[in-house]
Amino acid sequence: MMKKVVLVAASLSYFLVSVAFSHAADDWNKFVEKSYIHIWKGRPELSLAITNQAKATGIPFRSYTASLLPKVTTKGISNVPIEISESDIRPGKATHLYFQAALGQFLEYLKSNKRSFLNNALLLTEHIKEALVVRQDYRYWALFFNAHKHLDDGNRAEFIKAVYSIWREVLIPMYQDRLSDFSTRNEFAINYKLHCINTLSLIIDQAIVGKRMSGLFPLGAVVENISQMFPTDQNPYLAVVENFNGRSTDASNLNFTVAFIKARNEYIAQLRAKRREEYEKLFRDALMYFDLAYHWADTNKGRAAVLKERAKAMTSVWIAKDSADPRTDTPYFDQIFLNKSQKTIDVCLDTYERLAAPAGQRQKIMHDNAFVPGTDQYTTTLKELWKANADLVEWQTINLCASGKYDNKQHAQTNHARQIVFANKYLAGHGYKDIVPSTAFYLLGNNAAGLADFSVDRLENFDSRESLVQAYNFQAYSIMLDPFNLDRLVQFSVFLSKNTYPSKLYRDYFVPLGKIISESIKHAATDDRYAIYSKELNYLGDTIPRLFPRLPQVTAYVRGETPDAYVRSAIILSNLFDALSSFSSERVAKEVKLFSKKRGVDNPKDVLKQVLSKDMYGKVSQSIGNGRQLNPYDFDKLYMELGEPAEIPLHLFLERLYYTTQNEIRKSPDRMVFNIDKYVVESASAMLRKQLR
């Protein structure tokens, strides 16, 4: 009796377990058949969904999939992955059993990336061929499996054919069914948009981003068409289609577009990264996709778009390094990053030169590189590429010079010189004005000032005539491009006053150049776009022709703790000496100089009261006027504004000033000023030749 009770209890227990497993298997069947909800989100999301389903059913996914195979094969239940062959399959079973087993094996493949699971799924679908004709859901999955096979094999041609089959044989008919309102006939058709999204994910996330499969341009039209088949606000890949056209595009190149978007997304994530390891990884990933996009680009327009963004990414790291951001304190950023940055600069210059053509001679270049006629695509692309590259050179140079290492300074010098030589063709040539950004003049002024500093350093160490001439060439060119940077001129003058200063070179350059710049400032400042700076610009125009000739006299007395204080001191002294020049008293001049040297001139009226008689003080004060000349504007503040990354009215002013000054220089009888462009290019080229040796 007891034995019967035990048997009954065991049978009941087995029955209950079987019923429980059966219910759990039904839940798994529903999950698997709706797995298109999770697949497009990627392996991590799919794995999480499977884990949650296992918790809900109480049965692991592997146990579920293992239970399906014995229903259609001779294989027994096994929690160890097995690979089936044609001889293992039992013929004549219900179609849905083959389908469920195949779909389960496919999900195992997506979850683990083990090819044996995909092979099993493909083999099982061979036994439901008749059902593929009438069942859209079966046909979709069979074609989807096949596309994954060719993707895993790296067979581009067959992968493209497989995706075309999904599009033509399933998605287009389903779309037409939806238009005819037949989509309610099964749940698979109701979730049509998810099958579209999964197909887009297969192309974009898995083939291009994941496998980096090249040459998928034939699928561009497929991606565009599928994206039109369901609401745009529900399309996570809409950005790809939207980026097929515009400045930052490459003639609807699918591979390029996907890689470019991925690179920019990684770059944005890198900027937000908190941890050092994450910051470096995201930056390196961004570079990898930028490189892919560049490699996949069919036009220089596309390459220019990539290089612009790549240069911005590089610049962001240099800015972070300049502020001692701990995220950049890694061996990669210390040892490898500079080479990557320099390569970007080199390729930017090369690509710009390939695209640049004077107005009236651009038709072929625009056609060959997919620029849309009648738009600003061409000019804006070149301006943005120039600016991104110049910004990168600026920040790379700042960091290299700050290191104090001789090799780094030489590296920076080479880039400064290359920028000058590169830019001259487009500044001096006819028909290029509209492809030069307004920020170029401020940055080129910095390049020239940097080269003047290098020449001064060499002059201090080697005292060569060549270095002296180069120093004057670069400093004159710098102040012509950016007269707000008076600090560099004053510092330059102070140093040279200890050596060969004053000299004929100074008189030949800065006295006539000061007059030309002054007149050009007054002429250019009449534009209403710069009205907010009218007082400062007018004062600068008045100051320069007095300051430049007087600098040799006042540099010995200039004092200041900051760049602005240095400039202020020089301007005040120049104005003061100018006012005193109408008085012939040598004693007064001597006393003013002596007082200035000892005490400085922060309060010029006190200087005058200390050394002049009451009567003479009144005459000098009247000559100076109301004292405005003794209280200069803060030009350093304006100079700092020019360093902002965005274009501001001051950049536009420097652009207009340059071309106005050039017109005046062409009329100049002074040989040095007339040939300033020629001399500065010769000096920069000589520096480059020395570096190559």
Side-chain angles (χ1 to χ4, degrees):
M1 184 69 179
M2 180 62 69
K3 189 174 181 181
K4 288 184 179 180
V5 171
V6 171
L7 288 172
V8 170
S11 299
L12 181 61
S13 176
Y14 177 78
F15 173 76
L16 293 174
V17 169
S18 299
V19 170
F21 188 90
S22 177
H23 285 310
D26 288 342
D27 290 339
W28 271 118
N29 289 340
K30 293 174 184 176
F31 174 88
V32 167
E33 289 172 8
K34 293 183 178 180
S35 57
Y36 47 77
I37 297 172
H38 309 288
I39 288 174
W40 72 273
K41 298 176 183 178
R43 184 175 299 157
E45 288 291 330
L46 176 61
S47 296
L48 179 62
I50 288 173
T51 299
N52 291 337
Q53 180 69 12
K55 289 178 181 178
T57 61
I59 296 177
F61 184 57
R62 179 62 55 78
S63 298
Y64 162 72
T65 58
S67 71
L68 298 176
L69 287 179
K71 297 178 182 179
V72 290
T73 73
T74 57
K75 299 288 186 181
I77 294 178
S78 172
N79 284 329
V80 177
I82 58 174
E83 187 164 4
I84 60 175
S85 63
E86 178 64 33
S87 60
D88 295 323
I89 297 179
R90 294 177 175 177
K93 298 295 182 181
T95 300
H96 76 277
L97 294 179
Y98 293 109
F99 174 69
Q100 285 175 348
L103 197 47
Q105 292 295 297
F106 178 66
L107 292 182
E108 288 276 23
Y109 164 71
L110 293 181
K111 182 172 175 286
S112 66
N113 202 34
K114 291 183 179 179
R115 179 61 183 260
S116 60
F117 289 121
L118 178 59
N119 292 339
N120 290 346
L122 290 165
L123 189 58
L124 288 165
T125 54
E126 289 293 314
H127 289 262
I128 57 171
K129 283 185 176 179
E130 292 182 1
L132 299 182
V133 178
V134 294
R135 290 286 299 265
Q136 284 181 329
D137 50 348
Y138 286 7
R139 187 159 64 256
Y140 177 85
W141 285 116
L143 294 171
F144 203 60
F145 300 165
N146 195 43
H148 274 83
K149 172 188 179 298
H150 298 307
L151 177 60
D152 196 62
D153 291 341
N155 191 327
R156 178 174 57 204
E158 291 301 319
F159 174 74
I160 291 172
K161 288 180 184 177
V163 172
Y164 262 95
S165 295
I166 295 173
W167 176 49
R168 288 196 314 266
E169 297 177 28
V170 181
L171 296 183
I172 289 177
M174 285 177 67
Y175 179 69
Q176 293 168 341
D177 285 350
R178 292 176 78 242
L179 292 177
S180 303
D181 200 30
F182 292 134
S183 61
T184 55
R185 64 185 179 190
N186 61 53
E187 194 168 0
F188 182 85
I190 293 173
N191 288 301
Y192 170 76
K193 72 171 184 180
L194 289 172
H195 311 308
C196 290
I197 291 173
N198 274 303
T199 306
L200 293 176
S201 174
L202 172 65
I203 301 167
I204 295 168
D205 292 331
Q206 296 175 60
I208 297 178
V209 176
K211 296 289 187 180
R212 292 175 224 155
M213 181 177 278
S214 63
L216 297 183
F217 57 88
L219 296 180
V222 174
V223 169
E224 194 164 15
N225 182 258
I226 291 175
S227 295
Q228 296 168 352
M229 291 180 175
F230 64 102
T232 56
D233 61 348
Q234 299 173 29
N235 184 355
Y237 303 99
L238 185 63
V240 174
V241 176
E242 290 180 336
N243 279 272
F244 275 168
N245 299 298
R247 281 200 313 277
S248 299
T249 61
D250 190 62
S252 300
N253 182 330
L254 178 61
N255 280 82
F256 168 88
T257 303
V258 172
F260 191 32
I261 291 173
K262 180 67 174 176
R264 285 188 295 188
N265 289 342
E266 296 294 290
Y267 164 54
I268 292 169
Q270 170 229 332
L271 294 177
R272 297 170 180 163
K274 303 295 184 184
R275 294 181 296 105
R276 183 179 302 166
E277 298 79 8
E278 182 186 16
Y279 183 85
E280 180 183 320
K281 181 185 181 302
L282 288 167
F283 176 79
R284 295 175 76 161
D285 286 348
L287 287 196
M288 177 183 70
Y289 288 112
F290 278 133
D291 288 346
L292 275 177
Y294 183 88
H295 175 70
W296 284 337
D298 291 325
T299 67
N300 281 321
K301 174 193 172 191
R303 296 183 188 99
V306 172
L307 290 168
K308 178 192 74 172
E309 296 298 327
R310 181 184 169 104
K312 285 183 178 180
M314 294 286 177
T315 301
S316 73
V317 174
W318 284 120
I319 292 173
K321 286 176 74 67
D322 183 59
S323 62
D325 190 324
R327 295 177 301 174
T328 63
D329 186 16
T330 71
Y332 175 83
F333 289 119
D334 289 340
Q335 300 165 17
I336 301 172
F337 173 67
L338 174 58
N339 289 335
K340 301 280 186 183
S341 179
Q342 187 58 51
K343 181 181 178 183
T344 303
I345 292 170
D346 296 342
V347 181
C348 279
L349 294 177
D350 179 67
T351 302
Y352 188 97
E353 290 180 333
R354 288 173 184 271
L355 282 172
Q361 300 178 38
R362 298 170 178 168
Q363 186 174 0
K364 186 175 188 309
I365 282 180
M366 291 180 65
H367 176 270
D368 292 348
N369 290 281
F371 288 104
V372 179
T375 70
D376 66 351
Q377 280 189 8
Y378 176 80
T379 55
T380 303
T381 294
L382 269 77
K383 283 182 178 180
E384 289 179 346
L385 179 59
W386 180 314
K387 183 181 184 305
N389 177 66
D391 287 340
L392 176 55
V393 170
E394 174 86 351
W395 282 101
Q396 177 176 298
T397 300
I398 288 171
N399 279 266
L400 292 179
C401 291
S403 73
K405 296 178 181 178
Y406 177 78
D407 287 348
N408 283 349
K409 288 186 176 182
Q410 291 288 98
H411 196 137
Q413 173 188 334
T414 300
N415 275 324
H416 276 319
R418 286 182 69 199
Q419 290 294 109
I420 295 291
V421 174
F422 160 79
N424 183 259
K425 173 182 177 180
Y426 305 106
L427 296 186
H430 295 291
Y432 295 105
K433 185 177 178 180
D434 60 343
I435 59 173
V436 177
S438 62
T439 55
F441 306 91
Y442 158 75
L443 292 171
L444 283 168
N446 285 352
N447 294 139
L451 291 175
D453 290 344
F454 288 125
S455 299
V456 165
D457 287 344
R458 193 181 300 113
L459 181 64
E460 190 172 27
N461 295 319
F462 302 105
D463 193 25
S464 69
R465 169 73 181 175
E466 181 185 30
S467 296
L468 179 64
V469 171
Q470 288 178 348
Y472 276 110
N473 286 339
F474 291 131
Q475 188 56 60
Y477 192 66
S478 174
I479 204 69
M480 181 192 75
L481 287 165
D482 180 11
F484 294 107
N485 196 359
L486 292 174
D487 166 55
R488 300 292 276 269
L489 176 61
V490 174
Q491 301 250 23
F492 174 81
S493 303
V494 168
F495 172 80
L496 290 180
S497 68
K498 302 171 186 176
N499 298 276
T500 58
Y501 193 66
S503 73
K504 185 176 183 301
L505 277 173
Y506 182 86
R507 292 192 301 274
D508 289 346
Y509 255 146
F510 291 98
V511 174
L513 189 59
K515 293 177 182 177
I516 290 174
I517 293 174
S518 173
E519 291 303 314
S520 298
I521 288 173
K522 291 176 182 178
H523 179 75
T526 58
D527 194 310
D528 290 340
R529 289 178 296 175
Y530 329 121
I532 58 173
Y533 302 110
S534 60
K535 290 182 179 179
E536 291 90 338
L537 295 178
N538 287 329
Y539 183 75
L540 183 63
D542 290 339
T543 296
I544 284 176
R546 285 195 301 272
L547 175 65
F548 284 17
R550 291 284 178 188
L551 270 179
Q553 292 176 272
V554 305
T555 48
Y557 313 108
V558 169
R559 298 289 182 274
E561 297 294 328
T562 64
D564 179 50
Y566 240 67
V567 173
R568 176 183 169 83
S569 175
I571 292 175
I572 290 172
L573 281 167
S574 296
N575 291 335
L576 187 59
F577 280 33
D578 204 55
L580 290 171
S581 66
S582 59
F583 299 92
S584 58
S585 172
E586 292 184 11
R587 184 190 66 79
V588 170
K590 183 178 179 181
E591 290 292 330
V592 169
K593 290 180 180 180
L594 183 62
F595 188 90
S596 300
K597 192 168 185 177
K598 288 181 178 179
R599 301 277 298 277
V601 288
D602 283 341
N603 194 332
K605 291 185 179 180
D606 285 349
V607 176
L608 297 178
K609 286 179 180 179
Q610 288 282 344
V611 300
L612 301 180
S613 66
K614 187 175 181 180
D615 180 57
M616 188 169 285
Y617 173 74
K619 292 179 180 179
V620 172
S621 295
Q622 187 177 5
S623 172
I624 294 173
N626 61 9
R628 184 174 72 87
Q629 293 175 354
L630 300 182
N631 295 284
Y633 286 95
D634 187 353
F635 292 118
D636 188 59
K637 180 181 177 183
L638 295 181
Y639 176 71
M640 295 299 288
E641 284 187 31
L642 286 166
E644 293 297 318
E647 183 184 83
I648 61 173
L650 274 181
H651 291 130
L652 297 172
F653 172 76
L654 288 185
E655 179 182 27
R656 185 178 181 195
L657 178 65
Y658 172 81
Y659 292 110
T660 303
T661 303
Q662 287 292 303
N663 289 335
E664 294 302 315
I665 284 174
R666 293 188 189 103
K667 306 172 190 175
S668 176
D670 298 282
R671 181 178 60 86
M672 295 293 289
V673 173
F674 183 82
N675 291 303
I676 186 171
D677 285 348
K678 174 186 173 184
Y679 292 154
V680 81
V681 171
E682 287 176 351
S683 294
S685 299
M687 280 190 167
L688 290 175
R689 286 194 297 272
K690 276 190 175 182
Q691 292 297 322
L692 289 174
R693 290 202 297 267

